[in-house]
Amino acid sequence: MAQRIQHYIGGRFVDSARQFANLNPVDGTVVGQVCEASAAEVDQAVQAAKAALQGDWGRCSPAQRADWLEKLAAGIEQRFEAFVQAEVLDTGRTVRQARTLDVPRAIANFRFFANLVRQAHTECFETIAADGSRALNYTVRKPLGVVVAISPWNLPILLFSWKVAPALALGNAVVSKPSEETPSSAFLLAQVAHDIGFPAGAFNVLQGFGGDSAGQAMISHPDIDAVTFTGASATGAHIMKTVADGVKDVSFELGGKNAAIVFEDADFDAAVDGVVQSTFTNSGQVCLCSERVLVQRSIYERFVAALKARTEALVLGRPDDPATDIGPMISKKHQAKVVSYFELARQEGATVVTGGDVPVFGDDRDQGFWVRPTIWTGLPDDARCLREEVFGPVCHVAPFDTEAQAIARANDSDYGLATAIWTRDLSRAHRVSPQMRSGLVWVNTWYLRDLRTPFGGVRRSGIGREGGRHSLDFYSEVTNICIKIQDAPSTGDH
Ligand code: NAD
Ligand code: 6OD
């Protein structure tokens, strides 16, 4: 029987009258029924969160909160395979990826922010005024209050926990929503929270859609204090407008149209492998994926041929097949979007080096949401296919002549999330990296994460940084306290 995915509000699992089907993208079958939160249920969650801040949760010390996060991490570990299956069923990704990236990273997110908050400290200055009086200035860090955390479908539990863990670590109460496409792992996390007796109302999970549904009710609620959001740039812009009148804090991780730059001095094989990885990981459904590959002209033809061969060797297959490299698109709608770019690319004059169509398997996967890994060449830099995020297993490869050209063309984008640079020239790596208009630059690697580092994008790719102390800064308010400790010396003292 298909499972029913509920909300978790104020420490209780709650059903909704309205429900929608959760589909397996591998073959389009229904795997669950998901409750859709109404405005009334959103309000219940916000009220539960406010009550938690006034109650046990609000009274927890940072060390006690860290202990709770450790317990959440341990709870995920205990149900590791259930989380893997949830991610695989909702997304069609490989079991290998869920076991090595998604679920371990969710555990790491809770452990990392537990440690971070244990070690967090504030500033203190002794101030001597012009008249000789002295004061002590120190800061205290306080939660923002009720934080709305909304996450997308592409790395469901990784990105959900990336928002929820720091928000809780800093003492906020969270009202969260996973994507309507991937409700299962957040529901499982709610079960973990329930089983360990997590303070009621501190962590609420609502299920449902975004616009005109649960998401819209969450961001419009007058009693929320901040929104942390990962998703499409257009949605971020909409959220910003919605919360503007209340001047609520926002942290946005949005779309990308990322460049990879391959210089002629690069380790050729490593660069080909790297671009295969940065283009096709998670079937291209990672905001950091390279959709614009720039290759120095002297190695361009050889690079395109090698990339084609490597791409055609990628195996489209079922999640539990160890040979599988590529899974389906998340939904029929997203498959249609990617296919529309295949058509647009042809209209814009692209050469389709490989792919550009929907595979036919001759089995139940033909009811799923697949596209073939695709490489284009020959598009002008102003083609829509080179300016708009596709978010699928697709890249365009173009030649460049000089370093200056590569920098200018890589930066010629409305987005600015991540750049991957392939070179063996250390001076070039240092010279080019800071010139990139992106929040992240990887040199001779891609998506190598250290949770202490700032993560985020510029332009349409986001607002703010999270990670390490940057998360402390977003998820808390700092109050400066100035205490006079000594009067100005009287003139008689001299
Ligand atoms: P999306 O913006 O459609 O949805 C993301 C989340 O927002 C979902 O939970 C959705 O229900 C909710 N939502 C949608 N409309 C809303 C509204 N009006 N009010 C409140 N919530 C609303 O994005 P998506 O299709 O789920 O994800 C893909 C996008 O996310 C891509 O553009 C990708 O680049 C981006 N992304 C960015 C990062 C990053 O770190 N920069 C990471 C992952 C994904
Ligand atoms: O690894 C992360 O912390 C992170 N935020 C990744 C985002 C990936 C985008 O799809």
Side-chain angles (χ1 to χ4, degrees):
M1 200 181 79
Q3 71 163 332
R4 196 174 73 261
I5 296 177
Q6 300 164 293
H7 317 297
Y8 185 58
I9 302 174
R12 289 186 311 114
F13 289 96
V14 174
D15 274 312
S16 286
R18 283 170 72 113
Q19 300 188 355
F20 60 94
N22 181 25
L23 303 184
N24 180 351
V26 171
D27 55 13
T29 51
V30 175
V31 291
Q33 290 297 324
V34 189
C35 294
E36 182 182 354
S38 64
E41 283 146 356
V42 170
D43 183 55
Q44 278 171 28
V46 173
Q47 299 314 327
K50 285 171 67 180
L53 291 168
Q54 299 306 318
D56 289 350
W57 180 245
R59 285 188 287 275
C60 278
S61 67
Q64 287 170 321
R65 296 197 303 261
D67 289 345
W68 280 117
L69 264 66
E70 294 279 7
K71 286 183 192 166
L72 286 173
I76 301 173
E77 229 159 26
Q78 274 166 17
R79 296 189 183 202
F80 193 92
E81 279 308 313
F83 275 91
V84 167
Q85 289 312 320
E87 292 292 77
V88 167
L89 263 186
D90 279 0
T91 64
R93 72 195 45 212
T94 61
V95 171
R96 182 178 64 243
Q97 181 190 312
R99 281 199 186 127
T100 56
L101 172 68
D102 303 274
V103 182
R105 179 56 199 285
I107 296 167
N109 283 340
F110 283 105
R111 294 229 160 99
F112 173 82
F113 286 108
N115 283 331
L116 190 77
V117 79
R118 275 199 189 99
Q119 292 163 21
H121 50 84
T122 56
E123 295 171 316
C124 181
F125 305 99
E126 188 183 358
T127 307
I128 304 174
D131 64 1
S133 63
R134 299 163 84 93
L136 202 59
N137 277 280
Y138 67 94
T139 52
V140 290
R141 217 178 253 292
K142 293 174 290 188
L144 294 168
V146 178
V147 170
V148 162
I150 299 180
S151 55
W153 47 258
N154 64 318
L155 298 170
I157 196 64
L158 186 160
L159 291 172
F160 186 76
S161 55
W162 170 244
K163 300 291 193 189
V164 168
L168 290 174
L170 271 301
N172 300 286
V174 174
V175 176
S176 63
K177 190 186 85 59
S179 168
E180 56 275 21
E181 306 287 358
T182 52
S184 306
S185 51
F187 179 48
L188 262 180
L189 186 61
Q191 291 174 6
V192 167
H194 195 69
D195 289 354
I196 63 171
F198 202 83
F203 171 49
N204 304 278
V205 182
L206 296 166
Q207 306 286 355
F209 295 88
D212 297 330
S213 177
Q216 185 63 36
M218 289 163 73
I219 59 171
S220 314
H221 198 291
D223 292 350
I224 65 165
D225 296 290
V227 178
T228 179
F229 168 74
T230 303
S233 303
T235 313
H238 172 79
I239 293 174
M240 210 166 168
K241 286 180 204 147
T242 308
V243 301
D245 283 343
V247 199
K248 316 274 181 184
D249 269 337
V250 293
S251 172
F252 287 165
E253 291 172 1
L254 308 177
K257 187 73 185 177
N258 308 299
I261 307 176
V262 183
F263 288 100
E264 60 193 1
D265 58 50
D267 175 334
F268 186 85
D269 293 338
V272 174
D273 282 352
V275 170
V276 168
Q277 195 199 359
S278 71
T279 301
F280 299 118
T281 293
N282 205 38
S283 306
Q285 301 169 121
V286 179
C287 58
L288 310 161
C289 278
S290 315
E291 293 194 7
R292 297 180 297 136
V293 182
L294 297 163
V295 181
Q296 203 148 16
R297 196 176 300 276
S298 57
I299 58 165
Y300 174 75
E301 297 294 343
R302 188 173 150 229
F303 191 91
V304 172
L307 190 63
K308 175 179 191 297
R310 285 294 313 276
T311 303
E312 288 175 351
L314 293 171
V315 176
L316 281 70
R318 296 184 192 274
D320 56 357
D321 183 344
T324 298
D325 298 302
I326 298 267
M329 300 292 90
I330 188 67
S331 62
K332 198 166 189 58
K333 185 171 155 210
H334 191 55
Q335 179 198 38
K337 177 187 162 186
V338 176
V339 167
S340 78
Y341 279 99
F342 290 168
E343 286 157 12
L344 180 64
R346 289 190 172 90
Q347 287 161 22
E348 290 189 309
T351 298
V352 181
V353 176
T354 188
D357 58 359
V358 171
V360 177
F361 295 100
D363 58 33
D364 56 343
R365 286 173 293 173
D366 291 338
Q367 273 68 61
F369 315 132
W370 300 77
V371 300
R372 211 184 289 281
T374 297
I375 302 172
W376 301 315
T377 57
L379 286 172
D381 285 354
D382 63 354
R384 275 183 53 206
C385 287
L386 287 190
R387 303 210 67 86
E388 298 170 12
E389 182 188 49
V390 180
F391 216 54
V394 52
C395 69
H396 178 265
V397 193
F400 70 86
D401 293 301
T402 65
E403 187 178 295
Q405 269 178 11
I407 294 167
R409 289 172 70 186
N411 283 340
D412 181 17
S413 173
D414 298 333
Y415 294 96
L417 189 55
T419 313
I421 297 171
W422 297 89
T423 178
R424 275 190 287 214
D425 179 338
L426 194 56
S427 302
R428 191 197 298 271
H430 284 292
R431 192 168 57 237
V432 173
S433 299
Q435 296 185 64
M436 302 319 308
R437 288 204 200 118
S438 56
L440 304 156
V441 177
W442 276 292
V443 179
N444 296 331
T445 185
W446 176 78
Y447 198 14
L448 179 64
R449 288 282 283 121
D450 179 330
L451 301 186
R452 294 169 299 184
T453 60
F455 186 99
V458 304
R459 299 174 165 188
R460 284 178 66 77
S461 290
I463 294 182
R465 296 290 178 276
E466 297 197 30
R469 69 172 178 82
H470 304 274
S471 295
L472 296 180
D473 289 341
F474 175 69
Y475 290 101
S476 63
E477 294 282 13
V478 166
T479 298
N480 187 68
I481 299 171
C482 178
I483 300 187
K484 188 170 178 187
I485 54 176
Q486 193 178 307
D487 286 336
S490 67
T491 42
D493 293 344
H494 289 294

